[in-house]
Amino acid sequence: MVKRGFLATRGIARRVWRNYKAFLLFSPFVLLLPLWAEPLGRSISLNIVYLMRMVGIFTLTAVGLNLLMGYAGQASLGHGAFMGIGAYVSAILSTRWGWPAWAGILLGTLLAAFVGYLLAPILRLRGHYLAMATLGVGIAAFIFFREMTGLTGGNVGIREIPKLNLFGLEISSKKAEFYFVWLLVILVLLLCQNLVRSRVGRAIRAFHQSEVAARIMGVDVASYKMKVFMLSAALGGLAGGIYSHLQGYINPSQFSVMLSIQLVVMVVVGGMESIWGSVAGASLVVFLPSLVEALPKWMGNVPAWVRQYSNYEGLVFGAILVLTMIFLPKGITTSTVEFYRRKTRKAAELMGEEEPVSIPEEEVRNGK
Amino acid sequence: MGAFFSNLPQYLVNGIGSSCVYILMAMGFSLVYSSTGIINFAQGEFAAISALVAYTLSMDLGLPLLLAVAGALALTGFVGLLLERAVIRPLQGKGTLTAIIATIGASIFLKAGARIIWPEEAYKVPEFTQGQLNLPKASFNAQLLWMLGLTAFTVAAMYLLMNGTKLGKGLRACAINPEAARLVGIDVSLMSMAAFAIAALLGGLAGLVSAPFANYGMGLYLGIKGFTAAVIGGLGDVYGAVLGGITVGLLEEVVAGFLSVVLGVSSGYKDAVAVILLISVLLFRPQGLVGKGLVEKV
């Protein structure tokens, strides 16, 4: 019997709640964040809204990288290159030829995807080879950004990049930028979440497990790899384009190998195979240095080495990477979720209940 | 074009110098890969650490050069051991991606540590012998002779080690099949430690001879170029490393010279040569120029 009227709506509402619980909880949290974060930020001298814009930018890239690394199992140690492409394309078009920001960002995104398409043959490589080849791509991109001085301004970079504006609407205050970035992030997260739950998502996770098995099941592995790579490159380009307009200036050192490694940290520490892990990872990478920098303002006197944290940042990130790999190989969010799931399962066993049958959809919803 | 050809001997001489460094780096990559199945992304850091330690020992503490070099190598070997114990051991059998990310983490950690101790952009590491020698169309530092000699000696030593000693046989056995090696009584864990320690020594030696200038960040390019050389030589083959190192070293200098003299392009592209070579070789001949071809197990 078909449910009608009220019952049907309730059914839909329940399904939406079940499938998009994390979004329904997270979106209001983010959109209301400036209300409480601005006064709080002032009192603890940490510009939360300002930093959250950066978290949003990095989330865009990290979630794309997570599709590639976490879900599809293809390492990329050169993803900063795509952010760089997006940033430079949009910056050059808007400063030299007066293109509107949205058009530059769009073209940067498309160009990043196109470069992803050109680089797709390296996805034939596996494991260490792929990692080294993508690291090489990142290094080569950095060298090109630095050396193509006529186009990119070399080490000086590009200054006075205009602020964002959307079809004549100026987005210049930090708060407006915050809303713009996070609306986009939520949209992209929704898209990625739906993608990984779809047929495509199942296919890419299938070849993560075993390429041969996936191929036998009829998954066109090469084609899916290329598409995921292009999508993640496009997201990097998109993020890079927006970044250049928020930041106002860019230079090659912003898109060095270190950026690519930081992106890997976001994915790996935040949580592989987890959309929300990317958000957690991006927050960690953005907030950690600022938190440490703000410490002296809270506690008055801190040891001298804390003051010079930027010198120690590499030590901390290196240690975090190694320790995460040893103790939480699936990252913070995924490992936490699995821990709780194991616990509830154990509790259920003790109660004499049957072990819950895992449905794919349940498994995918491991974000939160 | 004429200018390019008249400079060619100089490019080749310079290229031979870098070849030696890449050969040493490549042997380190190959040894670790063949006996543990891991590409050590921190291999370049060994070179940086050893060069910088040698600087401190000889310039700051005023030790004689020989002692400083020995001290630097000993310390780098120790770092290699430590890396194996602290990072590689706990991750054994946890998959390729995990090992890659962990060694990258270790590399960032070592680099950042080196930057705290040696923050400057360049340290002048003393040369073994000073002075310049002149050939008809090229000139080179006397250091180049040391580089050649030490590299030749090291390659020979590695050959003897791998073929003539029990340790070498153990390492090769682990490379072929770790399970079977364990069954015949080889201590696989010890072999893994030995591989890392020797690789650290090789990387350290590369750093020492790649002087005169060293800084905390030099490991990245040395690492990727050494890896390129190792891949060209068919990763896992210690002697292929020699061929690979020479290829990368010579091509890099000649192509960079061609770009800047003939095409008038910035010489800043020099570092991109090895990277592009790496990607091309991986794509078109992943088994290396002399390798036998990869057999992938499902």
Side-chain angles (χ1 to χ4, degrees):
Chain A
M1 204 186 85
V2 183
K3 286 181 190 167
R4 282 173 209 282
F6 173 67
L7 277 180
T9 352
R10 224 177 61 168
I12 291 171
R14 198 182 294 149
R15 257 182 54 195
V16 169
W17 170 251
R18 205 182 62 198
N19 287 336
Y20 298 102
K21 202 180 343 179
F23 280 95
L24 294 172
L25 293 174
F26 183 72
S27 309
F29 167 74
V30 160
L31 298 178
L32 295 177
L33 183 128
L35 294 184
W36 56 265
E38 277 198 329
L40 176 70
R42 262 196 297 280
S43 68
I44 58 172
S45 47
L46 191 69
N47 198 337
I48 299 176
V49 176
Y50 174 85
L51 291 171
M52 279 300 282
R53 296 174 324 155
M54 285 299 144
V55 173
I57 298 279
F58 284 123
T59 302
L60 285 177
T61 318
V63 78
L65 187 58
N66 209 333
L67 289 179
L68 186 71
M69 262 178 78
Y71 288 94
Q74 310 297 309
S76 171
L77 306 182
H79 240 58
F82 298 114
M83 271 190 90
I85 291 171
Y88 271 105
V89 167
S90 192
I92 290 167
L93 288 177
S94 59
T95 53
R96 294 265 180 87
W97 294 330
W99 280 41
W102 65 267
I105 293 172
L106 190 68
L107 196 74
T109 308
L110 292 177
L111 198 74
F114 181 67
V115 172
Y117 170 76
L118 293 181
L119 289 173
I122 65 173
L123 292 168
R124 276 190 314 212
L125 305 170
R126 281 179 212 149
H128 294 112
Y129 288 94
L130 180 64
M132 269 295 182
T134 50
L135 180 67
V137 168
I139 291 177
F142 169 72
I143 293 173
F144 281 108
F145 294 146
R146 194 186 61 195
E147 299 300 330
M148 290 163 76
T149 44
L151 209 55
T152 63
N155 273 327
V156 181
I158 299 174
R159 287 170 191 286
E160 288 168 18
I161 303 166
K163 287 281 168 194
L164 279 174
N165 65 73
L166 271 188
F167 314 107
L169 191 72
E170 182 96 352
I171 302 175
S172 53
S173 79
K174 295 278 170 278
K175 217 152 126 188
E177 289 174 349
F178 169 89
Y179 280 117
F180 172 76
V181 168
W182 277 96
L183 280 174
L184 195 66
V185 169
I186 289 173
L187 205 69
V188 166
L189 289 177
L190 206 56
L191 185 129
C192 292
Q193 170 112 343
N194 279 344
L195 185 79
V196 296
R197 284 176 183 175
S198 69
R199 185 188 163 86
V200 179
R202 286 192 294 276
I204 62 177
R205 274 174 299 138
F207 69 70
H208 184 179
Q209 301 277 322
S210 162
E211 278 190 27
V212 175
R215 211 174 295 138
I216 292 168
M217 299 304 286
V219 175
D220 186 349
V221 174
S223 147
Y224 274 121
K225 270 189 191 173
M226 184 181 80
K227 284 173 189 157
V228 174
F229 191 60
M230 280 173 69
L231 176 64
S232 72
L235 286 174
L238 176 70
I242 299 171
Y243 172 84
S244 73
H245 290 281
L246 296 192
Q247 203 72 352
Y249 68 91
I250 51 171
N251 65 35
S253 69
Q254 292 167 344
F255 306 101
S256 67
V257 173
M258 200 53 210
L259 172 65
S260 301
I261 305 280
Q262 279 186 334
L263 291 169
V264 171
V265 174
M266 292 175 203
V267 172
V268 170
V269 177
M272 303 269 265
E273 281 196 75
S274 160
I275 297 294
W276 297 101
S278 316
V279 183
S283 312
L284 178 84
V285 172
V286 172
F287 271 95
L288 192 61
S290 307
L291 277 174
V292 179
E293 249 167 50
L295 274 183
K297 291 175 198 151
W298 303 344
M299 319 201 316
N301 52 3
V302 290
W305 64 268
V306 176
R307 245 176 248 281
Q308 291 148 7
Y309 173 72
S310 61
N311 290 342
Y312 295 84
E313 203 175 358
L315 278 185
V316 174
F317 277 121
I320 288 179
L321 262 187
V322 173
L323 294 176
T324 309
M325 283 297 101
I326 296 176
F327 296 109
L328 296 171
K330 287 185 176 167
I332 298 170
T333 48
T334 315
S335 297
T336 316
V337 169
E338 276 180 5
F339 175 74
Y340 276 107
R341 196 167 287 164
R342 251 202 320 274
K343 231 167 84 174
T344 46
R345 189 173 298 167
K346 215 173 243 170
E349 274 168 19
L350 285 176
M351 302 277 284
E353 285 172 20
E354 277 178 41
E355 195 172 305
V357 185
S358 67
I359 348 171
E361 208 170 55
E362 290 282 330
E363 202 203 329
V364 180
R365 205 160 10 101
N366 59 10
K368 239 177 194 174
Chain B
M1 215 50 172
F4 171 70
F5 281 113
S6 67
N7 283 348
L8 196 56
Q10 185 65 57
Y11 297 146
L12 293 177
V13 169
N14 294 349
I16 290 171
S18 3
S19 298
C20 294
V21 178
Y22 303 154
I23 289 171
L24 294 171
M25 291 298 297
M27 285 199 295
F29 275 112
S30 293
L31 181 65
V32 166
Y33 180 74
S34 65
S35 46
T36 64
I38 286 171
I39 295 292
N40 178 16
F41 280 74
Q43 178 74 20
E45 265 47 70
F46 294 144
I49 288 173
S50 116
L52 291 167
V53 170
Y55 166 84
T56 301
L57 291 182
S58 68
M59 304 306 267
D60 289 350
L61 303 182
L63 290 181
L65 194 55
L66 192 67
L67 268 182
V69 165
L73 282 178
L75 197 96
T76 313
F78 182 68
V79 171
L81 278 183
L82 221 58
L83 178 75
E84 202 274 342
R85 283 289 111 169
V87 179
I88 306 300
R89 184 114 308 262
L91 289 174
Q92 212 169 35
K94 290 246 182 86
T96 312
L97 196 56
T98 313
I100 292 172
I101 292 166
T103 55
I104 288 176
S107 143
I108 297 174
F109 186 87
L110 291 174
K111 197 177 300 188
R115 190 178 152 208
I116 292 169
I117 307 174
W118 297 281
E120 313 268 323
E121 278 305 312
Y123 290 91
K124 174 98 176 60
V125 180
E127 287 148 332
F128 298 144
T129 312
Q130 297 203 334
Q132 214 175 30
L133 301 172
N134 291 306
L135 288 177
K137 287 200 149 187
S139 65
F140 55 91
N141 291 332
Q143 175 86 354
L144 184 66
L145 296 179
W146 277 104
M147 291 166 92
L148 281 173
L150 278 173
T151 307
F153 172 78
T154 312
V155 171
M158 282 295 284
Y159 181 85
L160 290 178
L161 176 80
M162 294 305 274
N163 291 295
T165 66
K166 223 172 163 182
L167 176 64
K169 279 183 188 150
L171 285 169
R172 282 192 297 145
C174 289
I176 296 164
N177 187 336
E179 288 304 312
R182 187 173 293 130
L183 283 178
V184 296
I186 294 168
D187 187 343
V188 177
S189 151
L190 189 72
M191 289 303 127
S192 163
M193 270 176 83
F196 267 86
I198 298 170
L201 288 179
L202 289 167
L205 197 59
L208 287 174
V209 300
S210 80
F213 293 106
N215 70 9
Y216 62 87
M218 68 194 265
L220 176 67
Y221 285 119
L222 279 184
I224 195 124
K225 289 170 186 176
F227 179 76
T228 308
V231 167
I232 290 176
L235 198 59
D237 180 350
V238 173
Y239 327 114
V242 176
L243 178 79
I246 292 171
T247 314
V248 177
L250 292 184
L251 259 185
E252 182 182 70
E253 287 292 335
V254 172
V255 172
F258 183 81
L259 285 177
S260 64
V261 174
V262 179
L263 302 180
V265 185
S266 155
S267 61
Y269 284 110
K270 181 176 157 189
D271 289 329
V273 172
V275 172
I276 291 168
L277 186 66
L278 168 68
I279 296 172
S280 328
V281 171
L282 283 177
L283 280 181
F284 300 115
R285 233 190 123 67
Q287 70 274 40
L289 295 182
V290 290
K292 285 178 282 293
L294 295 173
V295 179
E296 187 119 6
K297 278 179 260 176
V298 175

